[in-house]
Each structure stands twice: as structure tokens, then as C-alpha cells.
């Protein structure tokens, strides 16, 4: 049997995770990296706009500041969700698109050019299976 938890447990767990991510000395960030772990870009997470659903426990991150000038050129492969101290708490694949994708960092393009702006459209950490 696959695991399943109550919605209340997911909401509590994901809420605690979001609180941890919002912590630290600075603002939390989303770091975009290529498949070779090269840092391509960094966006600042909006603490107030990032939420944990009170119904499902899904975490949705809002962006406070997009990357105005990418650090390096490359193809975005994955995103790291970091707290304000730079500690990585989650990683997810980057995908190109225009609508949110559960468990992914959605960007307008995966092709990042050094010195150019980078737009993250959404990033989510979905809760898992719930007891029916």
C-alpha cells in the first residue's frame, strides 16, 4: 500500500516546512541551476505572498524579485528552494510553460543567457496522498 495521510497532517507538515523556508537572516530564494550544478540565476521569494493551502497543504511560492541579470548561460535543469541563510530545503525540476505544475519550477524559457533577465512563473511543493 502506498502511504496516505490526513489532510490535517499534510497541512501541518507543509505549513511547518514553509515557516522553516521563510526563516533565516535574509530573504528566502529560488536558485536555478543547470545539470552540471552551475548557478544560473537567483530569485527572491516573497514571504508574505508564499502560502500553504489550508485545504490541501500544497505550498505555492510567490516571487518578490526576479533575476534581472543571470549569473551564467545554460539550460535550467532544477531549482533549489533556500531559506534566508542559504540552506537548501527542497529541489525540483525546472519546466518551461505558462501555468503552474505541481512539484516543478515553471519558467518562461529554460534557456538562460548570462546578463539577461530570468522569469520564474511558479514554484510549488505539493502535499502527498490523503486518506479518502
Amino acid at each position: 500500500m502506498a502511504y496516505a495521510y490526513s489532510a490535517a497532517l499534510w497541512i501541518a507538515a507543509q505549513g511547518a516546512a514553509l515557516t522553516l523556508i521563510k526563516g533565516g537572516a535574509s530573504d528566502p530564494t529560488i536558485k536555478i541551476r543547470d545539470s552540471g550544478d552551475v548557478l544560473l540565476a537567483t530569485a527572491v521569494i516573497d514571504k508574505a505572498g508564499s502560502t500553504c493551502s489550508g485545504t490541501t497543504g500544497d505550498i505555492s511560492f510567490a516571487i518578490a524579485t526576479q533575476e534581472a541579470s543571470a549569473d551564467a548561460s545554460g539550460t535550467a535543469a532544477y531549482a533549489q528552494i533556500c531559506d534566508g541563510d542559504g540552506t537548501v530545503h527542497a529541489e525540483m525540476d525546472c519546466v518551461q510553460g505558462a501555468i503552474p505544475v505541481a512539484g516543478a519550477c515553471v519558467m518562461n524559457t529554460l534557456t538562460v543567457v548570462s546578463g539577461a533577465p530570468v522569469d520564474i512563473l511558479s514554484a510549488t511543493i505539493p502535499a502527498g496522498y490523503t486518506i479518502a
Side-chain angles (χ1 to χ4, degrees):
M1 173 182 185
Y3 68 93
Y5 303 111
S6 70
L9 184 113
W10 279 120
I11 294 164
Q14 295 281 81
L18 182 58
T19 298
L20 181 67
I21 291 166
K22 288 181 177 181
S26 297
D27 290 322
T29 58
I30 298 177
K31 295 181 180 180
I32 305 298
R33 295 187 180 273
D34 69 10
S35 61
D37 300 325
V38 173
L39 177 64
L40 303 177
T42 303
V44 176
I45 294 173
D46 179 352
K47 289 182 187 183
S50 298
T51 60
C52 176
S53 168
T55 305
T56 65
D58 295 344
I59 297 173
S60 297
F61 293 101
I63 305 301
T65 308
Q66 297 281 6
E67 175 66 77
S69 179
D71 298 317
S73 294
T75 302
Y78 69 100
Q80 296 176 313
I81 307 297
C82 304
D83 67 17
D85 293 329
T87 302
V88 177
H89 290 289
E91 292 183 344
M92 61 188 66
D93 290 337
C94 290
V95 298
Q96 183 173 332
I99 59 172
V101 175
C105 177
V106 180
M107 302 172 62
N108 64 332
T109 179
L110 297 180
T111 302
V112 176
V113 177
S114 179
V118 176
D119 289 327
I120 296 173
L121 305 176
S122 70
T124 60
I125 300 175
Y129 297 104
T130 57
I131 298 169

